[in-house]
Amino acid sequence: MSYYEITGGRPLSGSLAVHGAKNSVLPILAACLLVPGQCVLHNCPNLSDVSATLDILRLLGCRADREGDAVVVDASALSRWEVPEHLMREMRSSVIFLGALLARLGTAELFYPGGCELGPRPIDLHLSALRALGAEILEEQGALVCRGGQLRGREICLSIPSVGATENAMLAACGCPGQTTLVGAAREPEIIDLQGFLQAAGARVTGAGTSTIVIEGGAPLRPAEYRVMGDRIAAATYLCGAAAATGEIELTGVSPATLTAVLACLEEGGCVLHTGPDRIALRCGAPLRGISPVRTAPYPGFPTDAQAVLMAALAGGEGATLFVENIFDSRYRHVDELRRMGADIQLAGRAAMVSGVGRLHGAAVCSTDLRGGAALVVAALGAEGTTQVSELRHIKRGYQALDKNLRALGAEIREIP
Ligand code: UD1
């Protein structure tokens, strides 16, 4: 098992191009199933979650090849509609294939995505949205058998603005004759990106980025070429890394407008920020100060995916900050690991009170999940001494070349096989 060895205290400096967004590329790859032809996706990050998605596409009969930072998918020969259990278990977001297969083939057989490190993650909203469009879904011993004999567009109300349920409903609705209006939709930038791809393929979808999305479905889609947006959570991770280690970095290829809530926190903590249309520069000369309560919320609120990395940066700063995690039940698993590095964090249900200790110290720690693992790297960049971060498989699900990128910014980090 490999691990990162990180010696903290080296200020970061330099410029970095942020890779494409994991949470955009996964639904867009599934959306390629709707196109009986070749699609080219640029800025497609090389992540283990992306490889797993390409494996599913190939298994379904598609051609799916990486060419540098692009991925070419040809779903002309799509011939299967079952995603086997082991691939569903590998990645929860594979539930998105339900809507895509239903739209293209009118049938899909999947398995429940299984347990998750963030606590229970139900898919009831995904299923009720698809049922509302006319899909018949049988649930038997973990298997989901969906038939879309009488699919028809209509109004769907989501009781929670679930990102995945919004995407699943958008894809299924593209295959339904008539108009679907999705009320209470998630407003995340990745939903706008999915809409961008679908529009490029000729779909009539509008409203993404607001809570009402309208889809005129039933028309066949055509081959498209599309560039995936920059990864706002990877960007937040590098910014928090520079805030923990101090220094001055510039990120390109990411829109600051997608990170407003995170940038406001870093600014309040003492960082100086400059932004342009597709760039963010951060300067941090002293330990972060405690800030007003950070409450995770659906977009445009503070993203749950950036909670752990910001907490790591503040834990090694000065002053207290209250975090409230409102999206997932079990998203503080990094806290015990941060405590091994000297962090003072008190947990009470959804709340975490972080009292900055001035400086964390190195320790042997273990990634518990994707963003929790990234948080340990952020903490280590500012810590005194050397930290070993293990269970890198979590981190590699969502970060391309994290160690190489941080080394280029001056960090002392290497992967020990
Ligand atoms: C997506 C992101 C994930 C991010 C999350 C919230 C991808 C691949 N993943 O996950 O990184 O942390 O959005 O921004 O894009 N819920 C239900 N029933 C459902 C679906 C969701 O109760 O059928 C609840 C969840 O338990 C959670 C909340 O809704 O409490 C939000 O989850 P959701 O937005 O669906 O997250 P994901 O799409 O799984």
Side-chain angles (χ1 to χ4, degrees), residues 11-16 18 234-243 246-252 272-274 279-284 405-406 408-410:
L12 301 191
S13 74
S15 183
L16 178 72
V18 176
T237 304
Y238 288 109
L239 294 173
C240 288
T246 72
E248 190 163 359
I249 66 165
E250 180 197 51
L251 302 179
T252 58
V272 178
L273 290 155
H274 292 286
R279 65 176 276 283
I280 303 169
L282 173 142
R283 180 156 47 84
C284 182
N405 289 338
L406 286 170
L409 294 174

Side-chain angles (χ1 to χ4, degrees), residues 10 39 78 117 119 135 165 209 220 267 337 348 357 402 404:
R10 311 278 186 273
C39 292
L78 176 67
E117 61 267 12
E267 210 154 32
E337 301 302 306
V357 293
L402 182 62
K404 183 167 151 264

Side-chain angles (χ1 to χ4, degrees), residues 18-370:
V18 176
H19 60 66
K22 170 180 92 73
N23 287 352
S24 270
V25 79
L26 301 180
I28 291 175
L29 283 168
C32 288
L33 285 185
L34 273 63
V35 180
Q38 179 175 291
C39 292
V40 183
L41 304 179
H42 297 281
N43 204 26
C44 200
N46 201 346
L47 308 169
S48 61
D49 268 10
V50 172
S51 308
T53 307
L54 297 182
D55 285 343
I56 294 178
L57 290 173
R58 290 186 196 111
L59 197 123
L60 296 172
C62 307
R63 190 165 75 78
D65 297 320
R66 178 171 282 285
E67 292 175 9
D69 91 332
V71 163
V72 180
V73 178
D74 189 337
S76 309
L78 176 67
S79 54
R80 298 219 184 104
W81 52 83
E82 314 102 341
V83 181
E85 191 164 10
H86 70 277
L87 288 176
M88 285 299 295
R89 289 206 173 277
E90 201 160 306
M91 203 182 36
R92 188 197 133 81
S93 51
S94 45
V95 71
I96 188 76
F97 281 102
L98 207 51
L101 285 167
L102 217 47
R104 173 83 189 278
L105 299 178
T107 185
E109 290 180 24
L110 268 63
F111 287 83
Y112 265 94
C116 171
E117 61 267 12
L118 304 182
R121 290 175 81 174
I123 56 167
D124 55 312
L125 298 172
H126 300 240
L127 301 187
S128 61
L130 301 180
R131 283 190 173 118
L133 293 172
E136 282 173 21
I137 306 178
L138 296 175
E139 301 170 64
E140 286 169 1
Q141 296 171 347
L144 290 165
V145 179
C146 308
R147 302 278 180 258
Q150 297 296 321
L151 290 182
R152 184 98 224 132
R154 55 164 286 179
E155 182 168 299
I156 301 174
C157 294
L158 292 178
S159 54
I160 301 173
S162 155
V163 174
T166 300
E167 294 165 344
N168 236 330
M170 282 167 79
L171 295 187
C174 283
C176 295
Q179 178 174 303
T180 296
T181 306
L182 197 52
V183 179
R187 294 184 287 162
E188 268 66 5
E190 292 77 12
I191 310 262
I192 303 180
D193 217 25
L194 176 61
Q195 172 178 278
F197 169 78
L198 289 169
Q199 286 176 340
R204 285 176 292 169
V205 187
T206 53
T210 76
S211 51
T212 304
I213 299 175
V214 179
I215 302 121
E216 296 283 347
L221 300 193
R222 54 172 187 260
E225 190 159 350
Y226 191 73
R227 185 176 171 82
V228 175
M229 66 178 269
D231 195 311
R232 62 193 171 104
I233 306 300
T237 304
Y238 288 109
L239 294 173
C240 288
T246 72
E248 190 163 359
I249 66 165
E250 180 197 51
L251 302 179
T252 58
V254 64
S255 161
T258 62
L259 274 166
T260 308
V262 176
L263 299 184
C265 291
L266 289 168
E267 210 154 32
E268 189 184 343
C271 301
V272 178
L273 290 155
H274 292 286
T275 60
D278 234 1
R279 65 176 276 283
I280 303 169
L282 173 142
R283 180 156 47 84
C284 182
L288 281 182
R289 298 186 297 265
I291 59 175
S292 329
V294 179
R295 302 175 199 278
T296 65
Y299 192 84
F302 189 91
T304 174
D305 285 355
Q307 175 253 104
V309 290
L310 181 65
M311 184 183 288
L314 286 162
E318 288 165 357
T321 303
L322 174 69
F323 282 77
V324 183
E325 172 55 56
N326 291 311
I327 306 294
F328 291 111
D329 287 341
S330 179
R331 206 154 201 190
Y332 285 139
R333 295 179 59 196
H334 50 281
V335 165
D336 272 344
E337 301 302 306
L338 289 173
R339 284 182 181 140
R340 288 179 201 273
M341 301 177 70
D344 178 353
I345 304 173
Q346 305 301 318
L347 289 182
R350 291 185 169 273
M353 178 54 87
V354 180
S355 302
V357 293
R359 187 132 194 227
L360 300 175
H361 57 73
V365 290
C366 182
S367 307
T368 51
D369 58 86
L370 166 58

